[in-house]
Amino acid sequence: MGNPPVQEQLKMVSLLIQQRKDLQNPLGLYKEILQIQLEIDNTPTKGTNIKCDDQNVVDDLQRKSLDAKKPIIHFLDPHMFNLDVSSKVSKKVVRVLIEQNVNKKGLEKLLSYLESGRLDILKLVEAALREDIVSIGKVAEESGVQPALLLFTVGALIQPCLERIAGKSDPSLLDKWWQATCPVCGRIPAVARLKHNKRYLVCTFCGAEYLSDHFSCVHCGNKDPYTLKYLAVEAQPAFQIDFCTKCKRYIKVINEAKLKDPIPKGLEDILTLNLDFSAKEADLIRETDHSA
Ligand SMILES: [Zn+2]
Ligand SMILES: [Zn+2]
């Protein structure tokens, strides 16, 4: 169970941009990134040198991941990502980010590093795969770009491949994972879907959905039911915010049974941005995820 193919996501986002005037900016940025990712997704191997959605490859990765209890992303070889595609796409992503006018100076410097070859994009991919915060931090400091934007750029390169891997992962395996971080890409989810009284954590980055312990904070692991609470959202019965009074962090929960219009996969976080405002008002902290 992964996110839909890039082409389909693009169609949905284009439609939603017409309907959701309140979300023009985040949806617009998302659309631009999808347009760039379409180039990756249109290559037969999704921007890699291997067939990353080959069932045997995915099965092997799943086995390693379950044995070591580490997300699949740790077992990917950075050199499986095609250098030409990666460098071309990363420059395009940085250009889109520059247009957003956030951290412009740093991003321009980063772009010049990428253009001159001073920065080895596959080294950066490797750091992202291994969750090597120190290496990411070094590049970020050197170029003066926020680490989150750097991770966003690398994320855009590896996302199509991870979406395919999540799509080929065995659902029963995802149910056996029983950890808060995404079993495929290692990210901490911002959203969950409630289905038949079971809470599934949703990774909007790769599309993995996996069963979670209702009475456990996804951020700090707190299991004390008296300190795990929820916030109802006014006039929106299909949504709630599950939060932990110990770490003050939260997860946005979509109650499928009460949902009027379905929320397309991959868009759960953007389409519930209003919940982040409610959470902020309640003095809760949003976990800064890799993709933000
Ligand atoms: Zn994921
Ligand atoms: Zn907590």
Side-chain angles (χ1 to χ4, degrees):
M1 189 184 289
N3 284 335
V6 176
Q7 180 85 57
E8 252 174 66
Q9 291 189 51
L10 201 52
K11 263 191 224 158
M12 264 174 330
V13 172
S14 306
L15 206 72
L16 279 163
I17 287 181
Q18 313 281 327
Q19 299 165 352
R20 297 291 303 264
K21 300 287 175 212
D22 56 321
L23 294 173
Q24 291 286 295
N25 290 345
L27 285 173
L29 173 62
Y30 198 67
K31 187 180 169 182
E32 286 198 68
I33 299 300
L34 283 171
Q35 270 161 341
I36 297 171
Q37 288 180 328
L38 196 57
E39 270 179 59
I40 305 178
D41 213 47
N42 280 341
T43 65
T45 52
K46 316 299 162 208
T48 66
N49 299 317
I50 59 158
K51 258 190 92 49
C52 66
D53 60 349
D54 180 278
Q55 193 65 57
N56 289 329
V57 172
V58 177
D59 287 349
D60 184 47
L61 285 167
Q62 282 187 159
R63 249 191 316 273
K64 285 181 184 158
S65 159
L66 259 190
D67 283 350
K69 295 213 178 317
K70 276 186 174 174
I72 283 178
I73 194 167
H74 282 261
F75 303 99
L76 296 180
D77 176 0
H79 295 282
M80 68 181 257
F81 291 93
N82 183 286
L83 181 60
D84 287 342
V85 177
S86 299
S87 49
K88 209 167 97 190
V89 168
S90 59
K91 282 179 249 175
K92 286 191 180 180
V93 173
V94 174
R95 284 194 197 104
V96 166
L97 290 175
I98 288 173
E99 281 165 34
Q100 299 288 312
N101 249 331
V102 181
N103 202 195
K104 204 168 172 180
K105 256 198 170 147
L107 286 165
E108 277 168 351
K109 202 166 177 187
L110 177 67
L111 184 60
S112 74
Y113 283 3
L114 286 168
E115 279 169 342
S116 66
R118 179 171 168 177
L119 182 63
D120 181 345
I121 187 68
L122 290 187
K123 277 255 157 63
L124 208 54
V125 169
E126 181 171 21
L129 297 179
R130 307 285 173 263
E131 299 181 85
D132 177 359
I133 305 299
V134 177
S135 297
I136 298 275
K138 260 191 205 156
V139 178
E141 203 181 335
E142 227 183 287
S143 52
V145 74
Q146 290 159 10
L149 291 175
L150 207 53
L151 285 164
F152 180 92
T153 305
V154 185
L157 303 179
I158 62 174
Q159 191 175 20
C161 169
L162 285 164
E163 284 174 329
R164 297 296 169 129
I165 292 176
K168 287 280 169 81
S169 296
D170 190 320
S172 69
L173 185 123
L174 295 184
D175 288 349
K176 274 186 249 162
W177 181 247
W178 218 243
Q179 295 183 49
T181 47
C182 172
V184 179
C185 70
R187 283 160 168 74
I188 295 174
V191 193
R193 288 187 189 254
L194 201 64
K195 298 178 194 176
H196 312 292
N197 282 326
K198 282 182 180 166
R199 191 178 75 168
Y200 293 85
L201 300 178
V202 175
C203 175
T204 49
F205 185 76
C206 71
E209 255 185 56
Y210 48 105
L211 207 52
S212 78
D213 183 357
H214 218 122
F215 297 102
S216 172
C217 168
V218 296
H219 303 290
C220 73
N222 170 24
K223 285 184 195 300
D224 169 23
Y226 295 102
T227 53
L228 295 168
K229 314 227 162 175
Y230 74 92
L231 261 178
V233 186
E234 209 180 321
Q236 287 186 295
F239 302 103
Q240 71 182 50
I241 298 164
D242 283 2
F243 70 99
C244 165
T245 56
K246 281 197 177 160
C247 73
K248 291 261 178 200
R249 286 175 291 180
Y250 64 95
I251 185 156
K252 303 182 280 184
V253 182
I254 303 166
N255 188 338
E256 294 276 318
K258 292 183 183 168
L259 212 53
K260 271 192 233 136
D261 301 309
I263 293 192
K265 275 195 70 63
L267 289 166
E268 295 92 339
D269 194 19
I270 295 183
L271 295 181
T272 56
L273 277 178
N274 64 313
L275 300 187
D276 293 298
F277 296 125
S278 308
K280 203 171 178 190
E281 273 172 17
D283 278 332
L284 298 173
I285 309 155
R286 180 171 165 129
E287 172 80 22
T288 40
D289 48 43
H290 297 292
S291 56

